[in-house]
Amino acid sequence: MRENKEPRLGKNFSKTSPVEPTHASGASFGIKRSALVHYAKMVGLGLGKSMAQNWLGADLWVTEYITPVDVYAHGVSRILAFQKTAFQEMYVVESESYGKALVLDGKWQSCTGDEFLYHEPLVHPAAVHHGAPRQVLILGGGGRGYVPGEVLRWQTVEKVVMVDIDGEVVEACRQHLAEMHCGSFDDPRFELKVGDALVYLDETQEDWDIVISDLTDPIEEGPSFKLFTKEYFARVRNVLTPNGIFVLQSGSVAPANLPIYARLAHTLQSVYRYVQPYITYASTYGAPWGFLLASDRPLPTAIDPQAVDRLLAEKVSGPLKMFDGTTMLGLLHPPAHIRQAIAAETEVYTEAHPPKFFGKGILG
């Protein structure tokens, strides 16, 4: 890992000097301050001349295409680290609004400011459904440490293994994102395996109460390209206990991305008896975000919020910010258009025909 005060800026980063947009598939481009000020005047934001020139608080921006015609941008105050690893391009940055963040292959992964809106719903619904998880396997996670940190809150947990293919990213998170792992990497119940998730699934001799798949989006050049498929889901099923639960981070459920989410749900339905969709909203992603629970045991949606709160008080250490019984009840009842999209889906993702989220795997 090397720190660089002035690293080479990928296509997702721009200073305020002019940057020509590129229309290559998924490529992001920087946004000029002058262009945004012009836009503010054009749409009538009512900013005075001096205010319009100063309303932007950053000279460096990380931008990401949400769709081919929608861009979401974050102002960056500092770049803490940059490295092109063997698998992906990584930035650790600091933003004024959301604190420190990890960016992989041009995609915003998580940040200290709103991580709880993602990681609490990623972990705790499955743990509540199980009731007393002892062994938890995490596939991916970007080395951030938030996922094992949430899992290790459960006092019933005896062992957590996190498998991540990119050890360089893990080391960068250890060094620069201590706020994210909060000591979870040093917990005696935690074990890190640097390697391929598919290889680990084939070789593990253990059965797992919960398997969490927190992989980066399956952009074609990225390391998770074929890990959102029927074959992968079947491998996970083989290592679950009879009452085990699989959790899949499933990407955006904004209307333009909903077909991918619906097809992921239908693919899971081809492997597991019960599949439950649910969504959260992590503000830094710029879109509602989808998860999927899958199991061969029932996943009831008519839960008692007070019973969940009692379970959390009894078995979870420390306060939660976003998640409680009432929140879980709401999460398990996604909007009608999402349920309808899943019900109407007929195709299944396979290794021969995996999903391809919009985005570019390697920054220029």
Side-chain angles (χ1 to χ4, degrees):
M1 174 59 52
R2 61 183 178 88
E3 293 189 16
N4 192 336
K5 294 183 180 179
E6 290 293 336
R8 142 181 101 79
L9 300 180
K11 292 177 183 175
N12 285 59
F13 289 84
S14 171
K15 292 188 176 179
T16 55
S17 57
V19 176
E20 291 296 325
T22 173
H23 299 285
S25 176
S28 299
F29 56 89
I31 301 177
K32 294 194 303 178
R33 179 193 297 265
S34 59
L36 287 173
V37 171
H38 174 73
Y39 175 76
K41 294 177 179 178
M42 181 177 67
V43 300
L45 292 183
L47 301 176
K49 182 177 179 181
S50 61
M51 187 176 181
Q53 292 172 342
N54 297 306
W55 69 292
L56 294 175
D59 291 326
L60 184 65
W61 296 82
V62 53
T63 66
E64 179 182 345
Y65 273 122
I66 299 174
T67 73
V69 293
D70 297 299
V71 171
Y72 196 62
H74 293 286
V76 172
S77 55
R78 280 200 304 164
I79 296 178
L80 302 176
F82 163 79
Q83 185 163 343
K84 189 171 183 179
T85 76
F87 300 97
Q88 53 203 335
E89 195 167 70
M90 179 210 70
Y91 287 88
V92 178
V93 303
E94 189 166 11
S95 71
E96 293 291 343
S97 298
Y98 294 104
K100 293 181 180 179
L102 176 67
V103 180
L104 297 177
D105 282 345
K107 288 183 172 290
W108 192 276
Q109 299 300 306
S110 68
C111 62
T112 56
D114 72 347
E115 59 77 25
F116 64 96
L117 296 174
Y118 176 89
H119 293 102
E120 289 186 15
L122 173 68
V123 170
H124 297 298
V128 168
H129 271 310
H130 189 281
R134 294 186 306 106
Q135 298 215 138
V136 179
L137 175 62
I138 302 165
L139 303 173
R144 301 182 301 275
Y146 272 133
V147 185
E150 289 298 330
V151 172
L152 289 166
R153 288 174 179 260
W154 282 80
Q155 298 164 14
T156 60
V157 168
E158 299 172 0
K159 182 175 183 178
V160 178
V161 172
M162 184 172 79
V163 182
D164 198 289
I165 199 169
D166 200 331
E168 292 173 284
V169 169
V170 175
E171 183 56 36
C173 291
R174 282 181 182 270
Q175 181 178 351
H176 296 285
L177 298 172
E179 303 93 331
M180 290 190 177
H181 59 77
C182 297
S184 61
F185 290 161
D186 300 318
D187 192 297
R189 297 171 292 170
F190 175 76
E191 184 178 354
L192 172 66
K193 297 284 189 180
V194 176
D196 190 304
L198 289 175
V199 173
Y200 189 86
L201 289 172
D202 289 339
E203 294 181 351
T204 183
Q205 299 298 310
E206 300 184 75
D207 294 326
W208 301 90
D209 296 310
I210 297 174
V211 175
I212 300 171
S213 186
D214 187 30
L215 300 163
T216 55
D217 292 345
I219 50 181
E220 189 166 1
E221 300 92 337
S224 303
F225 185 33
K226 294 187 177 181
L227 300 182
F228 290 76
T229 62
K230 181 177 180 178
E231 294 86 350
Y232 170 70
F233 298 156
R235 282 170 158 165
V236 171
R237 183 175 181 267
N238 289 337
V239 304
L240 286 171
T241 62
N243 289 322
I245 300 172
F246 177 43
V247 189
L248 177 70
Q249 96 70 14
S250 309
S252 168
V253 294
N257 307 111
L258 183 55
I260 295 177
Y261 179 78
R263 195 164 298 170
L264 286 171
H266 185 67
T267 302
L268 281 170
Q269 289 170 343
S270 72
V271 178
Y272 297 85
R273 292 183 63 188
Y274 301 97
V275 175
Q276 175 60 44
Y278 66 106
I279 63 173
T280 188
Y281 190 88
S283 47
T284 49
Y285 294 160
W289 212 256
F291 301 107
L292 292 160
L293 295 175
S295 183
D296 289 330
R297 55 166 283 175
L299 299 168
T301 59
I303 63 168
D304 178 357
Q306 292 182 339
V308 173
D309 288 341
R310 289 193 295 270
L311 179 68
L312 294 173
E314 177 187 352
K315 296 184 177 180
V316 176
S317 301
L320 299 174
K321 292 183 179 181
M322 175 262 202
F323 187 82
D324 63 6
T326 300
T327 301
M328 182 168 177
L329 181 62
L331 289 174
L332 296 178
H333 294 83
H337 72 287
I338 291 177
R339 303 194 310 270
Q340 292 163 2
I342 294 172
E345 186 56 59
T346 59
E347 295 190 38
V348 169
Y349 285 127
T350 65
E351 288 185 354
H353 300 285
K356 298 179 183 180
F357 285 23
F358 185 80
K360 185 175 178 60
I362 302 298
L363 300 179

